[in-house]
Amino acid sequence: MVLNKFAFLTRQGLGKTLTHVPQTFVAGTQSSYASSSSPFAPLGNHGTGKFGKAGSAHLHTSFQGPPSPAVVYGKAASGSGNGEKSDSGLAAYYDAWQKQHQPGAEEKEWKQFQFTKRIGWKTPTAAVLAGRAKEREELGLRSEARLNHGSLNRAYSASAVDDIKKSDDAKAEVEALAKVDEAIAEEISQFTNPASTDNHVKTFLTSPESVLPSTPKVRSASPHSVQSRSTGELSTVSWLLSNETATTPDHSVDDAASFGEHIRKLSDAKRYAEIPPVFESMLTKGLRPTIQAYNGLLSAVVHLPIAKHQVVPKALDVYTDMLRRGVVPDTVFYTALIQLLSHHALDVADTKQEMEKRRMRFNGLAEKGRFLFESKETEYDMLLEDDSLANAVKIFESSLLKKQDRLYSSETYRLLVTACAQYGKVDEMIRVYSHMEVHKVVPIASMFPSMIEAFGISGDLASVVECYNEYKALAISDDNGKLVVLGRKDNEVYTAVIKAYASCDKLEAGKRFYDRILGSYDLAAAEKRGELLSATRDSVLVHAFVQQRVDSRDFVQALKIAEDQDLSSSARNKALATVTIAAADTITATATDSDTVDISTTAYRKMDPAYHAMKDVHLSMLAKYIRDQDVYNAKMTWFLLLQDPKLDETFIEYTALYSMFMLRMGEIAEGLIQAKEVFTRIRRSAGKHLRVLEAIDEAIERIAHSIYHFDRVQAMVGDPSTESSTSIYLRSTSTSAASARVAFIRAMKENRGLVSPAAEQTIAYLGAEEIARLSWQDLKFLLQIQAEILPRGHPAYSSFHPERFRSIVATMANSRTPVDQHTSDLVDYVIAQVGHHHPSIEAQWRDFQRSVHVLDPYAETTDFPGSTMIASELDDHRYGTAAALGQALSQLSNMRDTGRHPSYIVYSKIITAAAKEGREELVHQLLGFAEKDTPFLPYNQPVRDGWSFIYDAMVGACLTFGNRTLAGQYHEKLRSMGASPTANTYGLYITTMKGSTNDEASDALKIFKQAQNEGVEPTSFLYNALIGKLAKARRINDCLYHFSEMRSLGIRPTSVTYGTIVNALCRVSDWRQAEEFFEEMESMPNYKPKAAPYNCLMQFFLETKRDSQKVLAYYERMQSTNIQPTMHTYKLLIQTYATLEPINLSAAEGVLETIRASGQKPEANHYASLIKAKGCALHDMAGARRIFDDVLAKCEVRPEACLYQALFESMVANHNVSGTEPVLQGMASNRIPMTPYIANTLIRGWATQGDISKAHSIYDRVGREGREPTTYEAMTRAFLSAGLRSRAMDVFQEMMSKNYPPAVSAKSAELLGLK
């Protein structure tokens, strides 16, 4: 019986992953098997060839012009020069096996399959490498080029499963496994009978049927250098462990030991990448590896970066080869392998549980009882077949046959016991635990809850009690100072016991046990009693009682426990989340249970929106709302989910679900646009890993199928007797829906290229009227897509393509707008292929190409010399913009009086100048002149180009006036004619967004990305605007990245750029790098001295480093470059003299005289600096008040908020908070508004006095719109200092409703313990 069970180890190696066959180690070094993404190369794609489905063909590399030599070269490389098929390792072996086992064929005598002999790898010389590079260049090969996917099914791709191979011949499999069982029986017998060890080794060395199928001898390859394997250190592991067993002569034992010791040292030093080459070198010398060598190789397998699903098969490869060579594992090897298998078993169990939950959630939304994606079905089936735990147990037991007193670490026992418990293997769990107990290994406490739950599920209540009593005894000994248990888990054990009682239908006994536990805390110390009670209640009520009610679908009682019991805030939210998710995911056979709906909605609304695990709650409610066809709540929940700044790949399924739902409800634009945007965000967050791209492709296929289904249903509406129902439906399709379809096709292209038939399904019912309403950019893109699909599209949709192609070309011909060269070449190539089938298409395309080359009809009336003079006036800044604008308007008037007009560019320049002077009415008057002089002709290219300048100027003017809505309208006009605003206009989009959002940095990045997507060539102004917003948000890494990108594009940074970077670095206290950039700025040949960078460094050393010498040094440096100090410079000087050691008040007051001597007048902030210096730094409250009163009395400056703020800060610093009330009244009489910064100071002051009501009244005076993050933080601190946590949470929730970036709200969240 033991032998049959142990055979599962080899069955995993042979029947499932097929990576345990020694031939895979050979294949690992061959180019046809080597993986570019993983050093452990999989066995190829023969599984997909057998199980893959047709369709899903990617067309992104099609129609890129005539076939290049690279394509021909690639095809030729797949076969030999004489036309014979090249051998593809195990794929060829598998094909040969299939031929020999055709259904009904006679059983033939077994014959060894001869694999192609491999030639060892050689390090290429420099000449060879240069030759290959030249060859690639000549052939046009690109490393980043993707091959056409053909019929590859993503459900069986490498991101889901390493390899799949299933035999259709059940009889052959049974016979093979019988041989495997015999081999394992021999291996175990040699452990139990030491006398047979030598014979056992000889059997492994000579028998072709031992353990694994034999393979031919493979010639050893030359050792690789570590550098040559930087991306594939372990791709050669499969080559190393060939089936050729080295027989080590006696005189070579020392050499083998030396290699083993060297590998051990490499492993200890964690230099895992160097282990495979050393192991290979040992085999090349004909040495049998030692146990130390195998230990090192196993550690390399575990630790080197490979795909997660490949680790266990590769580890078992090492173990299998080890047994085949007759090397006996030691405890170190067994420990590593058992822990790896146990870890994997636990991971598989968790994954299955998560997938089961998802399948239940999607039940009714996809096919009943199935996942939304087909690939998930395959993945789940593979998980069901996993037998890592059976292998771990068998390896554990076989290790004890050789050495019964073998001991493992506490962690090894914990992992194996926990895995057995989770899988319900109670007998195996008891055997492992008993071995640990007999040998007095100190247990880890976390295994006890799992054991207790396993006993409970099996109905063994006696063992539950016994296990609990054992833990209790260990806990008592631990309290007495004895090391008998590691990592106490008392509450988890209590929870497990109660769950076990519930599993045995003894819940009342569980409640009595719970009461006894709570009662036992009466004996605890008073200072610990509350904490112990709270922790136990939270754990037991949530994870035992609430969970038990949820499992029995008694959601009413579960919610009652969550509401009525004395739980902490986090535990209550956890309980409510459990109820919400379970109730929302639970549906009846036909429809959603109304009671369940009410419970899920009730629990959902009672949750704290700031709860850290709200994402899964939102997802479950989204699925429920979709089942209920509740569009409004589905949209609201979707909006909440999109607030997560980082969307991972698990969000792909929900995106497909939401998009399909919107399509069913008729909201095509919403569904498709959301899908495109979210897929883009997922790729940005999760990275462009293969599994992510494949999952997005599968989602696109599902969505496209829904589009086609929806279109077909809608097209059936109408009266067939009058006209076709299809045409009726097409006319009813909105422009936004048509644009959304094109956007969805863009999502395919951005991911991995077009997916067939998804692309055809998306645009199948897109008719002539919808095409005519598309923007120029969408129209051009649709032409490219249609050209790609036309020759090789899916046959089911071929009838749609010619007519649609004609409609696109006709629309473009009417616009008289030429297309770019790439589009023209693409269409020419396609027409060359299909033109003879569709002669009318070719004729229409040629007519279009001839018609777009026309002249500007307004050229004769344009005054070009006068336009040049006006442009020169506007570009000459010597007399200021206002004077230049006046002169330009005078010349424009004279020009128009003669019946002529300026050029388009000059009109745009005059509009820009008028906007700078704030003359909004004049801007619109000038636009009217342009419309009258040169009416817009959408079909004439020169006119379209000219008006692109005018509309660009109008966008900039509207942004300058703060009218972003009108700017958007002109922007849309630009888009409709196939143009985009200039980089400087996009810069205005960024600089003028102040106050429009709470996360200006993220919005600035979106604007910048939009400019890039529209092909706008960036300028220094655009980069300065972007970097400025990023610097304000303290996103220094983004600042430096875009600064570097700017220089790499050849855009020379200006003084403004350097000043912004210096400011950003000072904000994050990186003053050394700030000084480096400052030095670089001064050394630039185009450097134009400006005060801002100097002020920035002065302020940093004033406020952060408190270094007066540095401040004054930069001031002197500023004067040496003849830069006129600004008012801000003087303010910094005053603060330096008055607040930094050595304090020099006379010098601070002397700065005011310096300002007057320069012909300027001191401003309010200069006096405010003196007030703050006296009151806060010197605590001279009387002196501070005297300056304040003198300033107001002399009326030298207007009263401003900064004066009052400085006085309030001084009063709070001197504990005179009550004295602020009369000053506050005076501030109101002077019509000075309450600013957030004044409010912060007063809230802090009243909070220190313990008067929360007055602090809150100050908070209310600011108003919701005027409150800033610091205001929320100050009020949160005030409420927390008074013990009013619930009111602090209200403040925090209001703050979160403004959608500040996480970095801004982090401090308040940390105060509340939410981080």
Side-chain angles (χ1 to χ4, degrees):
M1 187 66 180
V2 173
L3 299 179
N4 288 334
K5 288 184 178 180
F6 191 77
F8 276 87
L9 169 63
T10 311
R11 290 176 189 174
Q12 166 138 348
L14 292 172
K16 293 176 187 167
T17 64
L18 287 178
T19 54
H20 305 130
V21 183
Q23 179 63 24
T24 64
F25 301 114
V26 180
T29 55
Q30 305 305 321
S31 61
S32 60
Y33 288 90
S35 169
S36 62
S37 61
S38 167
F40 292 94
L43 288 178
N45 295 322
H46 55 270
T48 58
K50 182 176 180 182
F51 299 103
K53 62 182 180 182
S56 307
H58 287 266
L59 308 175
H60 73 293
T61 56
S62 306
F63 317 110
Q64 301 299 324
S68 67
V71 176
V72 179
Y73 174 82
K75 291 179 179 178
S78 65
S80 61
N82 58 8
E84 294 177 1
K85 292 183 179 179
S86 64
D87 187 4
S88 56
L90 281 179
Y93 172 88
Y94 184 69
D95 291 338
W97 185 93
Q98 282 187 317
K99 291 176 182 178
Q100 290 241 333
H101 294 77
Q102 294 292 338
E106 288 185 7
E107 190 76 11
K108 296 182 181 180
E109 185 179 352
W110 178 85
K111 182 179 179 181
Q112 171 65 52
F113 174 76
Q114 294 300 317
F115 289 85
T116 298
K117 302 298 186 289
R118 306 290 186 183
I119 298 177
W121 183 88
K122 259 188 181 176
T123 305
T125 63
V128 173
L129 290 173
R132 290 178 184 173
K134 183 177 180 181
E135 182 181 38
R136 282 195 298 269
E137 184 177 353
E138 292 173 353
L139 293 173
L141 296 176
R142 297 182 305 152
S143 60
E144 69 271 20
R146 269 186 74 237
L147 298 178
N148 196 313
H149 279 258
S151 60
L152 177 64
N153 180 6
R154 278 177 298 280
Y156 297 97
S157 63
S159 63
V161 182
D162 181 29
D163 202 293
I164 301 175
K165 186 176 183 181
K166 296 182 179 179
S167 174
D168 294 325
D169 190 338
K171 180 179 178 182
E173 182 179 6
V174 170
E175 291 177 357
L177 292 177
K179 293 179 181 180
V180 169
D181 288 343
E182 288 180 28
I184 296 299
E186 288 185 41
E187 190 263 330
I188 294 178
S189 66
Q190 66 101 4
F191 286 150
T192 57
N193 184 9
S196 65
T197 302
D198 293 337
N199 293 330
H200 170 78
V201 173
K202 291 177 181 178
T203 300
F204 270 101
L205 296 177
T206 59
S207 174
E209 298 177 0
S210 61
V211 183
L212 298 171
S214 66
T215 52
K217 295 183 179 181
V218 181
R219 180 177 171 185
S220 299
S222 302
H224 296 209
S225 66
V226 175
Q227 289 78 8
S228 70
R229 304 182 184 205
S230 59
T231 59
E233 298 90 346
L234 279 174
S235 63
T236 56
V237 169
S238 297
W239 185 91
L240 300 178
L241 306 180
S242 69
N243 74 313
E244 183 179 0
T245 304
T247 57
T248 308
D250 292 340
H251 62 82
S252 299
V253 171
D254 292 340
D255 291 341
S258 298
F259 272 105
E261 181 63 18
H262 181 47
I263 290 176
R264 184 192 63 78
K265 290 180 179 178
L266 290 175
S267 179
D268 291 344
K270 299 183 179 180
R271 293 160 60 183
Y272 302 114
E274 300 175 37
I275 292 176
V278 176
F279 195 94
E280 177 186 356
S281 179
M282 178 168 49
L283 295 183
T284 304
K285 293 180 181 296
L287 302 176
R288 179 185 301 159
T290 63
I291 182 58
Q292 288 83 2
Y294 276 112
N295 286 340
L297 188 62
L298 181 62
S299 66
V301 169
V302 173
H303 290 96
L304 279 176
I306 63 171
K308 187 177 180 181
H309 62 274
Q310 292 181 345
V311 176
V312 169
K314 296 300 179 185
L316 291 176
D317 283 341
V318 176
Y319 178 61
T320 305
D321 185 80
M322 186 181 189
L323 298 182
R324 184 175 50 75
R325 295 182 189 275
V327 180
V328 179
D330 61 1
T331 303
V332 174
F333 186 92
Y334 278 130
T335 297
L337 188 56
I338 292 171
Q339 287 193 6
L340 174 65
L341 292 171
S342 301
H343 262 302
H344 183 70
L346 290 170
D347 288 343
V348 167
D350 291 341
T351 304
K352 285 195 295 187
Q353 183 179 3
E354 179 62 29
M355 293 185 74
E356 280 286 1
K357 182 175 73 173
R358 193 174 301 178
R359 178 161 62 178
M360 182 174 70
R361 181 172 294 171
F362 293 154
N363 191 21
L365 301 175
E367 187 177 344
K368 184 177 179 182
R370 296 181 64 83
F371 292 98
L372 192 65
F373 289 173
E374 190 66 30
S375 62
K376 296 299 180 183
E377 294 287 345
T378 304
E379 183 179 350
Y380 186 73
D381 291 341
M382 295 299 296
L383 292 176
L384 292 178
E385 295 179 2
D386 181 81
D387 55 2
S388 299
L389 177 59
N391 288 335
V393 173
K394 288 305 163 189
I395 292 172
F396 173 80
E397 291 179 345
S398 68
S399 71
L400 301 182
L401 294 176
K402 176 65 177 175
K403 185 179 179 182
Q404 294 187 359
D405 59 347
R406 190 188 302 274
L407 296 182
Y408 290 103
S409 65
S410 299
E411 177 64 10
T412 305
Y413 287 112
R414 182 195 70 80
L415 287 170
L416 194 51
V417 167
T418 304
C420 289
Q422 194 154 345
Y423 279 79
K425 305 290 186 182
V426 176
D427 293 339
E428 291 85 344
M429 176 186 76
I430 293 173
R431 290 202 300 272
V432 176
Y433 182 81
S434 298
H435 185 269
M436 179 195 72
E437 191 175 34
V438 167
H439 292 84
K440 301 188 184 306
V441 177
V442 178
I444 297 177
S446 59
M447 70 172 65
F448 284 93
S450 300
M451 292 171 63
I452 292 171
E453 288 189 35
F455 284 130
I457 292 172
S458 66
D460 189 355
L461 196 55
S463 294
V464 169
V465 175
E466 181 181 351
C467 190
Y468 169 73
N469 288 336
E470 183 164 350
Y471 177 81
K472 180 179 178 182
L474 293 173
I476 292 172
S477 298
D478 183 68
D479 289 339
N480 293 330
K482 296 180 181 179
L483 183 60
V484 292
V485 66
L486 300 174
R488 295 276 289 275
K489 297 288 182 181
D490 294 2
N491 290 327
E492 288 82 350
V493 169
Y494 301 149
T495 302
V497 171
I498 295 170
K499 291 172 74 174
Y501 274 120
S503 298
C504 298
D505 295 328
K506 302 287 186 182
L507 185 58
E508 291 303 320
K511 291 179 179 178
R512 291 194 297 272
F513 172 78
Y514 172 62
D515 292 337
R516 288 199 303 272
I517 294 299
L518 296 183
S520 67
Y521 291 140
D522 293 340
L523 303 176
E527 61 273 12
K528 292 184 177 181
R529 186 180 305 131
E531 181 181 350
L532 291 172
L533 282 170
S534 178
T536 302
R537 276 197 300 264
D538 288 352
S539 177
V540 174
L541 290 173
V542 174
H543 298 288
F545 289 115
V546 171
Q547 190 63 52
Q548 185 273 332
R549 296 295 186 185
V550 165
D551 292 342
S552 61
R553 298 196 176 186
D554 187 356
F555 300 118
V556 175
Q557 286 302 315
L559 179 60
K560 184 175 178 61
I561 294 172
E563 290 179 314
D564 296 348
Q565 296 296 326
D566 186 12
L567 293 169
S568 66
S569 176
S570 60
R572 175 170 287 103
N573 279 309
K574 170 65 177 173
L576 291 171
T578 302
V579 175
T580 302
I581 293 171
D585 289 345
T586 302
I587 60 174
T588 63
T590 56
T592 306
D593 185 356
S594 59
D595 293 335
T596 299
V597 173
D598 292 339
I599 292 299
S600 62
T601 305
T602 302
Y604 180 56
R605 291 173 178 171
K606 290 179 179 293
M607 292 190 66
D608 183 352
Y611 178 53
H612 67 89
M614 282 299 292
K615 178 182 175 181
D616 198 35
V617 180
H618 290 324
L619 290 174
S620 66
M621 292 302 292
L622 174 68
K624 184 193 84 67
Y625 290 139
I626 291 176
R627 277 196 300 271
D628 297 346
Q629 297 190 0
D630 186 343
V631 176
Y632 175 78
N633 281 316
K635 283 185 176 182
M636 292 299 100
T637 308
W638 180 255
F639 173 77
L640 292 173
L641 285 165
L642 293 185
Q643 303 312 302
D644 189 343
K646 188 173 182 180
L647 302 179
D648 57 26
E649 59 188 286
T650 60
F651 208 73
I652 295 173
E653 284 183 279
Y654 293 95
T655 303
L657 186 69
Y658 180 77
S659 181
M660 292 159 61
F661 171 62
M662 288 292 109
L663 291 172
R664 287 201 307 272
M665 304 311 293
E667 299 196 24
I668 301 175
E670 168 72 8
L672 298 185
I673 294 298
Q674 286 296 318
K676 180 184 183 300
E677 292 179 355
V678 173
F679 289 155
T680 301
R681 286 183 59 185
I682 291 172
R683 279 195 303 273
R684 190 182 304 126
S685 299
K688 294 186 178 181
H689 299 296
L690 179 61
R691 67 176 186 277
V692 176
L693 300 180
E694 287 174 342
I696 292 176
D697 270 351
E698 191 168 7
I700 286 172
E701 288 184 41
R702 287 301 306 265
I703 296 170
H705 180 73
S706 295
I707 294 172
Y708 186 66
H709 176 74
F710 173 80
D711 287 347
R712 289 192 64 185
V713 172
Q714 293 297 321
M716 294 177 184
V717 179
D719 184 3
S721 63
T722 56
E723 58 179 325
S724 70
S725 57
T726 302
S727 63
I728 295 173
Y729 167 60
L730 290 178
R731 284 208 310 273
S732 68
T733 306
S734 65
T735 303
S736 60
S739 300
R741 292 169 188 265
V742 178
F744 187 64
I745 298 291
R746 288 184 191 275
M748 293 187 204
K749 292 284 286 184
E750 291 169 2
N751 194 53
R752 292 204 305 164
L754 296 185
V755 181
S756 179
E760 293 97 320
Q761 290 174 333
T762 303
I763 61 175
Y765 282 89
L766 202 60
E769 294 187 16
E770 291 69 45
I771 291 172
R773 290 197 292 264
L774 289 174
S775 69
W776 175 253
Q777 293 287 2
D778 285 348
L779 190 64
K780 186 172 67 173
F781 179 75
L782 185 61
L783 175 64
Q784 296 173 2
I785 297 305
Q786 187 61 69
E788 290 189 18
I789 294 175
L790 188 60
R792 304 181 188 177
H794 197 284
Y797 311 95
S798 58
S799 61
F800 294 95
H801 303 319
E803 186 60 38
R804 188 183 305 110
F805 189 87
R806 278 191 286 268
S807 298
I808 297 170
V809 174
T811 304
M812 299 184 81
N814 291 334
S815 71
R816 302 292 178 182
T817 303
V819 296
D820 58 84
Q821 192 62 42
H822 169 72
T823 306
S824 180
D825 291 344
L826 179 63
V827 177
D828 284 339
Y829 173 65
V830 172
I831 286 181
Q833 289 184 303
V834 301
H836 58 285
H837 294 302
H838 307 284
S840 61
I841 292 181
E842 182 174 10
Q844 190 176 17
W845 174 248
R846 300 306 175 204
D847 291 342
F848 164 66
Q849 288 182 310
R850 287 190 293 269
S851 67
V852 295
H853 301 291
V854 294
L855 298 175
D856 182 359
Y858 308 122
E860 294 182 0
T861 56
T862 302
D863 186 349
F864 290 104
S867 297
T868 303
M869 293 178 60
I870 294 176
S872 299
E873 289 283 349
L874 294 174
D875 292 338
D876 189 353
H877 303 294
R878 287 178 298 174
Y879 305 108
T881 306
L885 176 62
Q887 186 68 25
L889 291 173
S890 176
Q891 294 184 42
L892 173 64
S893 177
N894 294 335
M895 188 184 296
R896 297 186 77 245
D897 287 343
T898 62
R900 300 177 70 80
H901 57 81
S903 64
Y904 306 101
I905 295 179
V906 169
Y907 259 127
S908 70
K909 286 179 175 289
I910 301 175
I911 289 171
T912 301
K916 288 181 179 179
E917 291 300 310
R919 300 177 64 177
E920 186 172 2
E921 185 177 346
L922 175 61
V923 165
H924 292 287
Q925 184 181 6
L926 289 168
L927 177 64
F929 289 164
E931 289 173 338
K932 184 176 180 180
D933 294 342
T934 57
F936 178 67
L937 299 176
Y939 309 129
N940 186 278
Q941 183 63 33
V943 175
R944 290 165 67 96
D945 291 342
W947 270 92
S948 68
F949 293 107
I950 297 176
Y951 283 139
D952 177 68
M954 288 303 299
V955 173
C958 293
L959 291 172
T960 303
F961 300 137
N963 192 342
R964 299 180 81 85
T965 302
L966 189 56
Q969 294 175 9
Y970 287 115
H971 193 151
E972 192 59 38
K973 287 186 177 183
L974 278 172
R975 280 200 186 119
S976 67
M977 49 196 280
S980 297
T982 60
N984 287 354
T985 303
Y986 270 110
L988 284 173
Y989 264 114
I990 295 174
T991 57
T992 59
M993 71 166 61
K994 187 174 182 180
S996 63
T997 177
N998 292 309
D999 189 1
E1000 294 181 1
S1002 296
D1003 287 342
L1005 281 171
K1006 291 177 184 176
I1007 293 170
F1008 184 79
K1009 187 65 176 177
Q1010 181 182 347
Q1012 288 182 319
N1013 291 339
E1014 294 188 9
V1016 175
E1017 185 175 347
T1019 61
S1020 59
F1021 178 75
L1022 175 58
Y1023 272 108
N1024 290 345
L1026 173 64
I1027 293 172
K1029 292 297 182 183
L1030 294 171
K1032 184 179 178 182
R1034 308 192 179 200
R1035 295 172 62 166
I1036 186 60
N1037 290 334
D1038 288 332
C1039 288
L1040 295 176
Y1041 169 78
H1042 288 287
F1043 181 78
S1044 174
E1045 180 183 61
M1046 177 183 182
R1047 292 202 288 195
S1048 69
L1049 293 175
I1051 302 172
R1052 181 175 294 178
T1054 65
S1055 300
V1056 176
T1057 316
Y1058 280 108
T1060 307
I1061 289 290
V1062 169
N1063 180 38
L1065 290 167
C1066 288
R1067 282 174 177 265
V1068 296
S1069 299
D1070 191 353
W1071 60 274
R1072 286 188 173 84
Q1073 192 171 4
E1075 289 189 317
E1076 289 175 8
F1077 275 105
F1078 187 87
E1079 297 287 347
E1080 181 181 323
M1081 175 189 71
E1082 288 192 326
S1083 66
M1084 292 294 287
N1086 65 328
Y1087 172 58
K1088 295 180 180 179
K1090 291 185 180 295
Y1094 296 88
N1095 288 343
C1096 180
L1097 284 169
M1098 288 173 65
Q1099 183 170 349
F1100 172 76
F1101 286 107
L1102 166 66
E1103 297 177 353
T1104 305
K1105 301 299 286 186
R1106 310 290 293 170
D1107 187 340
S1108 62
Q1109 291 183 352
K1110 277 281 193 180
V1111 177
L1112 297 176
Y1114 275 103
Y1115 176 65
E1116 293 171 1
R1117 198 166 173 174
M1118 181 180 182
Q1119 289 184 311
S1120 68
T1121 54
N1122 297 321
I1123 298 176
Q1124 177 65 35
T1126 65
M1127 288 299 180
H1128 185 57
T1129 311
Y1130 290 127
K1131 173 189 173 185
L1132 296 174
L1133 279 177
I1134 292 173
Q1135 291 179 341
T1136 301
Y1137 288 130
T1139 63
L1140 299 184
E1141 295 291 342
I1143 293 175
N1144 189 345
L1145 277 179
S1146 59
E1149 293 171 346
V1151 174
L1152 300 179
E1153 296 303 323
T1154 303
I1155 296 173
R1156 295 187 181 99
S1158 66
Q1160 303 175 83
K1161 293 182 179 180
E1163 296 179 349
N1165 59 0
H1166 300 127
Y1167 292 107
S1169 297
L1170 282 175
I1171 294 169
K1172 186 174 179 180
K1174 289 240 182 205
C1176 298
L1178 302 178
H1179 292 284
D1180 181 5
M1181 191 60 232
R1185 187 58 187 261
R1186 185 167 52 253
I1187 295 174
F1188 178 81
D1189 293 338
D1190 288 347
V1191 170
L1192 294 185
K1194 294 179 181 179
C1195 298
E1196 290 188 4
V1197 296
R1198 291 177 56 190
E1200 293 185 17
C1202 60
L1203 290 169
Y1204 286 95
Q1205 182 180 340
L1207 183 63
F1208 286 139
E1209 289 181 5
S1210 300
M1211 298 176 80
V1212 170
N1214 288 276
H1215 310 292
N1216 185 18
V1217 183
S1218 59
T1220 61
E1221 292 187 307
V1223 180
L1224 202 58
Q1225 293 174 358
M1227 186 177 82
S1229 64
N1230 283 325
R1231 297 183 179 180
I1232 305 297
M1234 173 68 73
T1235 68
Y1237 309 106
I1238 293 175
N1240 297 347
T1241 302
L1242 294 176
I1243 290 171
R1244 188 167 58 251
W1246 287 116
T1248 57
Q1249 297 294 314
D1251 195 336
I1252 298 301
S1253 61
K1254 289 189 177 180
H1256 193 257
S1257 67
I1258 297 294
Y1259 175 78
D1260 286 337
R1261 285 186 63 175
V1262 180
R1264 188 182 189 281
E1265 296 304 320
R1267 293 168 190 158
E1268 294 199 355
T1270 52
T1271 314
Y1272 291 114
E1273 181 187 339
M1275 199 64 237
T1276 300
R1277 289 182 183 274
F1279 279 135
L1280 290 176
S1281 67
L1284 301 174
R1285 180 178 175 81
S1286 60
R1287 299 190 68 183
M1289 282 298 301
D1290 293 338
V1291 173
F1292 180 71
Q1293 287 176 3
E1294 180 183 314
M1295 180 184 183
M1296 294 301 292
S1297 69
K1298 290 189 174 184
N1299 298 321
Y1300 288 113
V1304 174
S1305 59
K1307 190 171 289 185
S1308 294
E1310 186 176 351
L1311 290 173
L1312 292 163
L1314 301 177
K1315 281 273 183 180

